[in-house]
Amino acid sequence: MSAAPKPEILAAFEAAKGFMPAAEGLALYAAAVEAGGLGLPLLEVGTYCGRSTILLADAAREAGTVAVTVDHHRGSEEQQPGWDYHDPELVDPDAGRMDTLPAFRRTLHAAGLEDHVIAVVGRSPQVAKVWGRPVGLVFVDGGHTDEHAVNDYEGWAPHVAEGGLLAIHDVFPDPVDEWTGQAPYRIYLRALASGAFTEVAATGSLRVLRRTGGRV
């Protein structure tokens, strides 16, 4: 997993709103490039404003496939008013609620990647129930409660093709280091315990696991 994005893609990633550090972004990009070799879609759960979507979309473009990103665009728990990760610029003044969709579209437009992304606006469990094909990569970066993380894992991990990759963000084994809860860490442990996945890379809080067969 040594592939690196072009300078203009990395610049677009760094300019976009979001929380993923550059080192973790580079690791995600390398995983996406590898998974793109399967010729299957690359799927992301948790879009926010499209920072990580840029990397998946560019990897998909290079592989001749497509990136799919799933989000209701109303913000996760830690992005609501009163929380440290709330951005008042992302509040829809008419609805009085978070709406990250316009910022996401601007992000893709600025990066020149609109034609390589399918944006699904909806809640992850509902979309997963109607999804009907395998994917080369699932990147889980949605809500950080146990309910949401478990729903994302149970809904999407079974769709990872054999040889494909499951990437999980914000995995903090030490409670001292976590910032939104250890739900991602718990689904990471569950994936390993299932016997269906083997860890292949770890960068910061990003874990990448390969589907090696068996039931999730």
Side-chain angles (χ1 to χ4, degrees):
M1 296 187 186
S2 58
K6 298 179 180 67
E8 60 269 26
I9 295 299
L10 185 57
F13 165 81
E14 292 176 338
K17 284 181 181 285
F19 310 105
M20 174 172 273
E24 294 177 11
L26 292 173
L28 177 65
Y29 182 82
V33 168
E34 179 181 334
L38 296 175
L40 297 170
L42 310 176
L43 190 141
E44 170 183 58
V45 183
T47 313
Y48 192 53
C49 297
R51 185 176 172 92
S52 54
T53 314
I54 289 172
L55 303 176
L56 299 184
D58 187 62
R61 174 173 61 180
E62 294 295 321
T65 184
V66 66
V68 179
T69 185
V70 180
D71 200 311
H72 50 68
H73 286 282
R74 291 301 188 186
S76 55
E77 299 77 18
E78 70 277 3
Q79 294 156 9
Q80 301 306 316
W83 288 73
D84 290 343
Y85 294 90
H86 176 64
D87 185 343
E89 293 183 356
L90 299 175
V91 174
D92 177 349
D94 294 325
R97 300 177 64 191
M98 291 283 291
D99 185 2
T100 56
L101 186 57
F104 163 68
R105 296 204 65 165
R106 288 192 294 270
T107 295
L108 286 190
H109 175 74
L113 291 168
E114 289 179 289
D115 292 343
H116 305 281
V117 176
I118 297 173
V120 180
V121 181
R123 296 193 175 274
S124 170
Q126 294 174 309
V127 178
K129 285 180 181 178
V130 300
W131 185 265
R133 64 171 301 185
V135 296
L137 176 140
V138 165
F139 173 46
V140 177
D141 193 21
H144 286 64
T145 65
D146 279 300
E147 177 187 3
H148 290 144
V150 167
N151 284 341
D152 291 342
Y153 174 75
E154 292 182 348
W156 292 107
H159 293 295
V160 178
E162 187 165 350
L165 300 175
L166 171 66
I168 305 173
H169 196 218
D170 294 327
V171 173
F172 295 104
D174 189 339
V176 173
D177 297 327
E178 62 84 20
W179 56 278
T180 56
Q182 285 189 293
Y185 176 59
R186 285 188 280 273
I187 63 168
Y188 156 76
L189 294 179
R190 180 172 171 182
L192 291 177
S194 73
F197 294 96
T198 302
E199 185 172 337
V200 294
T203 303
S205 71
L206 180 72
R207 300 292 183 273
V208 180
L209 299 84
R210 188 182 312 282
R211 181 82 184 266
T212 51
R215 297 187 63 181
V216 177

